[in-house]
Amino acid sequence: MEIELTQEDIEEGVTLHQKTVIDEVANGGDYCPSCKSDGGQFMEIENPGEPWTQVWCAYGCGFLNLDDYYNGSNRKERRV
């Protein structure tokens, strides 16, 4: 599946790298790779336009750099 920026992403300044990382590492913002919470997260990119991807985990992890969890494989492979 090819990841594309939406009009909203473009207006907010989100980069294709950031969109790719949040989609692949955090299932589009619904999964925290740190505490493994799955569902109800609704994480958003907190630093649009930057070369890395920061999100906020509301379940106690706080701010996360998702690039620390990104290695080009998809989320399901990482969780196994």
Side-chain angles (χ1 to χ4, degrees):
M1 177 176 88
E2 188 172 325
I3 297 170
E4 296 180 0
L5 295 174
T6 64
Q7 185 61 37
E8 182 180 354
D9 293 332
I10 293 167
E11 290 170 3
E12 292 177 0
V14 172
T15 66
L16 184 57
H17 170 76
Q18 290 174 318
K19 179 78 172 208
T20 300
V21 170
I22 197 169
D23 282 0
E24 293 188 7
V25 174
N27 193 28
D30 202 37
Y31 169 77
C32 176
S34 181
C35 68
K36 311 295 189 235
S37 66
D38 200 1
Q41 275 284 44
F42 309 111
M43 292 188 293
E44 296 180 359
I45 296 169
E46 299 287 338
N47 63 330
E50 298 290 328
W52 54 287
T53 311
Q54 178 174 285
V55 296
W56 173 263
C57 171
Y59 294 121
C61 297
F63 284 108
L64 297 173
N65 178 353
L66 291 184
D67 289 73
D68 290 343
Y69 301 91
Y70 180 68
N71 64 11
S73 63
N74 70 33
R75 181 181 70 87
K76 289 181 182 176
E77 290 174 347
R78 245 189 305 286
R79 289 180 64 195
V80 170

